[in-house]
């Protein structure tokens, strides 16, 4: 081999869907760690990430490079394309994978189930196939509290049954992937999979420069409130005011996306513990639920804007309340959410007010 | 267009996995119908079907052509290969699909879950994608009573919960596919899917020329008994004699593969009923359960051979008994199993004694 062909590769972490909302914040958290000498390799098919004409990298990735002064290896690759994935594994010394790439809009999944199952299940299976080919057996999975269905009891612990009465193809795809990964881990002890079950991610990077940028009208409460505050939407619809909760509106466990990102950084540390293997599901939430009206009030305080809202009927498939039992995440990952509701609102507002039309505003 | 390029295509039925056990018997049943003028198009990746060196078609397909005097269009195609599937849809005027192609060994699925999920789920999703591209919206699915898990009550009706406590990736893959197909049918009323939940298919074509040809040591009772009868295996192991059943051994609802094949022929007739659409799960069984020892005795009578057996401990994941509620299949398909236990044993023995090593013996 000629000397110029010898390339010393740094160990790398592959982040699929790394240009998306939680993905980009996790990429930032990975690179913000002090004394890190690891390659961060992002694959993303840009199905839900903004890239401006003529740029090589999506906006979120370029901004993280600017914020951290580090280079991110970016590939415009769909994880269902096994050959394209193989090329990425050939170019980098991937040691573990954080797997965000998926479609995630609950309502859309009811309209387009095949697209959701293909993206989320076929995508995940193809990724596992290629990982195995390259001897990479460590993965952090982006799961959801949706897998619990309607809670039998609260707070929701990881031992709560999963997969029962799931209303949407999105939720089912997350549950099916967890089951598939459990079976893979049972079949071969080389595998380690940590499935992080997110509660309700909100907020934005403290810089106000990366954040959630949903296409079209937001499905989730916080981005909807933020769009109302910034004048892009007229008023908030509150679905149901007769739930058995503090004020009758739905209660959720909102968690700051930077806390969530830190949870992923903590999770990959487990892979270096000797003897760590198998499938592990871990909740990422704060353990505290807030109602829709509490969120509205907190956002009004943080933004100084009035959020007009209208109470309408319940939305099909919605549940009254959920919040996480966070004891396992603390015990296993040594992680706890530290950002407050005020932080979540202030950071969302910083991002949204600077970017009324998301990354396009940059 | 030159006249010689005009090809008048007959309407065709696509049978995926049509060279396998249930698939080949269904192909035979489709072609044995009187006054049928329909193309039968088989795709099969030959992962579990015998084709002798130098032959273009798998043995089972060639024999059916011989028995029926009709030509079968055969393609050596893996259904995960969307482009290869597209070519088949371009060449034929496919009106509906009977979808058998899948991996089906319960024990192997525990060892190789990723292979099972890829073959069974990715395969099914790819097939649906290509069907939609070509405007084909009617499918009969090869499902299994495994989706019911451990029965809460007997007989098992289609309303029994599915998906709970499924022990194997094979069973889960059947359940996941049913859920995926339900969601697809809900999202677009153009789709009609009939999911046939087989109980325990046994037996062989009455000609004795096509039958079950499992690779290696059989997993299922009947082919195991047959291999013992023909001297290829020494003795039968009976897993458990302390179940709460007639004689303590496990009870199953065995159904003759020719009855099963007829059920598929009846199912596709529903597609021509005006207004028929949506997802429908239908049991295919006889409604009667027989114990292991009853099966041994019946097979001894049919074959005139002694079947030595040894009682050993229960096998993990096995249940005591299952048998089908067959009222829906009767009401909806106008179908009932007509072959007796004696037929099942006699036909299995005719096939096995003529083919001690399966199709390789031909």
């Amino acid at each position: 081999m000629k000397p110029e062909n010898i390339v010393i590769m740094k160990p790398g972490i592959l982040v699929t869907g790394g240009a998306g909302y939680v993905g980009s914040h996790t990429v930032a958290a990975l690179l913000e760690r002090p004394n890190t000498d690891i390659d961060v390799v992002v694959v993303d098919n840009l199905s839900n990430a903004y890239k401006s004409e003529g740029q090589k990298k999506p906006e979120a990735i370029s901004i993280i490079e600017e914020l951290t002064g580090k280079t991110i290896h970016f590939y415009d690759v769909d994880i269902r394309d096994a050959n394209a994935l193989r090329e990425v594994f050939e170019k980098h010394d991937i040691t573990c994978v954080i797997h965000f790439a998926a479609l995630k809009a609950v309502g859309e999944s009811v309209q387009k189930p095949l697209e959701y199952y293909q993206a989320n299940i076929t995508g995940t299976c193809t990724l596992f196939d290629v990982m195995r080919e390259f001897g990479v057996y460590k993965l952090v999975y982006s799961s959801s509290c949706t897998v619990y269905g309607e809670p039998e009891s609260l707070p929701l612990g990881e031992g709560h049954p999963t997969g029962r009465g799931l209303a949407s193809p999105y939720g089912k795809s997350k549950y099916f992937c967890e089951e598939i990964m459990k079976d893979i881990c049972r079949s071969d002890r080389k595998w380690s999979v940590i499935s992080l079950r997110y509660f309700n991610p909100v907020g934005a990077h403290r810089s106000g420069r990366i954040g959630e940028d949903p296409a079209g009208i937001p499905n989730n409460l916080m981005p909807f409130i933020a769009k109302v505050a910034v004048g892009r939407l007229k008023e908030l619809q509150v679905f149901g005011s007769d739930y058995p909760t503090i004020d009758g509106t739905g209660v959720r466990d909102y968690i700051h996306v930077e806390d969530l990102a830190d949870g992923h950084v903590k999770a990959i540390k487990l892979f270096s513990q000797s003897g760590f293997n198998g499938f592990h599901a871990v909740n990422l939430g704060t353990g505290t639920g807030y109602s829709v009206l509490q969120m509205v009030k907190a956002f009004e305080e943080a933004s100084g804007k009035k959020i007009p809202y209208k109470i309408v009927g319940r939305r099909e498939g919605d549940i009254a309340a959920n919040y996480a039992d966070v004891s396992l995440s603390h015990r296993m990952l040594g992680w706890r959410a530290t950002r407050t509701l005020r932080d979540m609102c202030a950071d969302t507002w910083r991002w949204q007010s600077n970017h009324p039309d998301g990354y396009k505003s940059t």
Side-chain angles (χ1 to χ4, degrees), chain A:
Chain A
M1 197 188 274
K2 289 183 207 163
E4 64 263 41
N5 284 341
I6 297 173
V7 181
I8 309 227
M9 288 194 285
K10 280 194 279 188
I13 297 174
L14 176 64
V15 184
T16 74
Y21 175 43
V22 184
S24 60
H25 287 82
T26 301
V27 167
L30 286 168
L31 292 172
E32 283 164 357
R33 292 175 301 171
N35 311 316
T36 306
D37 194 27
I38 198 151
D39 271 344
V40 173
V41 181
V42 169
V43 301
D44 198 300
N45 71 353
L46 302 179
S47 73
N48 197 20
Y50 180 73
K51 185 167 82 68
S52 64
E53 201 75 31
Q55 291 297 309
K56 284 199 172 153
K57 294 179 184 177
E59 201 61 25
I61 297 297
S62 302
I63 293 170
I64 298 166
E65 288 185 327
E66 217 182 294
L67 290 170
T68 60
K70 293 179 184 166
T71 300
I72 297 163
H73 304 271
F74 174 77
Y75 298 90
D76 180 352
V77 159
D78 189 301
I79 54 167
R80 284 164 288 184
D81 183 344
N83 285 330
L85 260 187
R86 280 185 193 106
E87 280 183 34
V88 175
F89 277 83
E90 271 157 17
K91 280 192 189 143
H92 300 275
D93 177 24
I94 304 296
T95 57
C96 71
V97 177
I98 309 181
H99 174 34
F100 296 102
L103 294 174
K104 63 169 186 178
V106 173
E108 187 187 57
S109 78
V110 176
Q111 310 300 320
K112 301 180 171 181
L114 194 47
E115 284 74 3
Y116 271 69
Y117 288 119
Q118 288 274 40
N120 297 5
I121 299 185
T122 302
T124 299
C125 287
T126 307
L127 175 63
F128 271 85
D129 255 349
V130 175
M131 287 176 66
R132 187 173 56 181
E133 270 179 56
F134 285 83
V136 180
Y137 292 99
K138 300 172 199 309
L139 180 135
V140 173
Y141 180 67
S142 174
S143 190
S144 166
C145 64
T146 312
V147 301
Y148 295 120
E150 182 144 12
E152 288 174 6
S153 59
L154 290 171
L156 279 161
E158 288 83 355
H160 186 283
T162 56
R164 299 204 178 160
L166 301 183
S168 75
Y170 165 74
K172 288 187 197 172
S173 75
K174 289 287 157 184
Y175 166 66
F176 293 170
C177 278
E178 282 204 354
E179 292 298 306
I180 291 169
M181 294 185 300
K182 274 181 205 171
D183 289 332
I184 291 171
C185 288
R186 269 190 213 117
S187 74
D188 186 343
R189 290 171 51 87
K190 282 203 285 290
W191 285 101
S192 307
V193 172
I194 302 169
S195 185
L196 299 177
R197 295 178 177 161
Y198 310 159
F199 279 66
N200 288 59
V202 296
H205 192 265
R206 75 206 93 90
S207 66
R209 298 196 57 201
I210 61 172
E212 189 167 11
D213 186 14
I217 295 174
N219 287 291
N220 297 330
L221 179 64
M222 187 69 129
F224 203 109
I225 290 178
K227 288 273 184 197
V228 172
V230 83
R232 286 296 184 275
L233 292 168
K234 204 178 115 236
E235 66 177 5
L236 173 69
Q237 291 190 64
V238 178
F239 298 104
S241 60
D242 57 350
Y243 286 110
T245 59
I246 181 168
D247 54 22
T249 64
V251 163
R252 298 290 180 274
D253 183 339
Y254 297 94
I255 173 170
H256 196 295
V257 67
E258 287 205 276
D259 277 328
L260 207 60
D262 290 343
H264 293 73
V265 173
K266 289 279 168 62
I268 58 173
K269 282 192 184 162
L270 288 180
F271 293 144
S272 51
Q273 280 183 8
S274 103
F276 183 82
N277 72 358
F279 177 88
H280 304 269
V282 184
N283 288 337
L284 291 186
T286 65
T288 303
Y290 291 105
S291 75
V292 175
L293 296 184
Q294 286 174 325
M295 294 299 285
V296 168
K297 186 156 173 286
F299 201 90
E300 287 181 338
E301 284 170 12
S303 65
K305 299 277 176 184
K306 188 82 196 149
I307 311 293
Y309 67 86
K310 188 171 71 183
I311 289 173
V312 297
R314 291 185 181 191
R315 191 167 57 174
E316 208 191 309
D318 273 356
I319 55 177
N322 77 357
Y323 45 92
D325 179 337
V326 295
S327 51
L328 182 65
S329 62
H330 185 55
R331 213 164 56 236
M332 194 167 151
L333 309 179
W335 170 93
R336 250 191 237 281
T338 60
R339 278 91 171 170
T340 63
L341 179 58
R342 168 172 282 273
D343 298 329
M344 300 180 206
C345 294
D347 290 336
T348 301
W349 179 239
R350 189 175 303 114
W351 155 255
Q352 188 68 76
S353 54
N354 289 335
H355 304 81
D357 297 306
Y359 286 111
K360 274 198 287 292
S361 323
T362 309

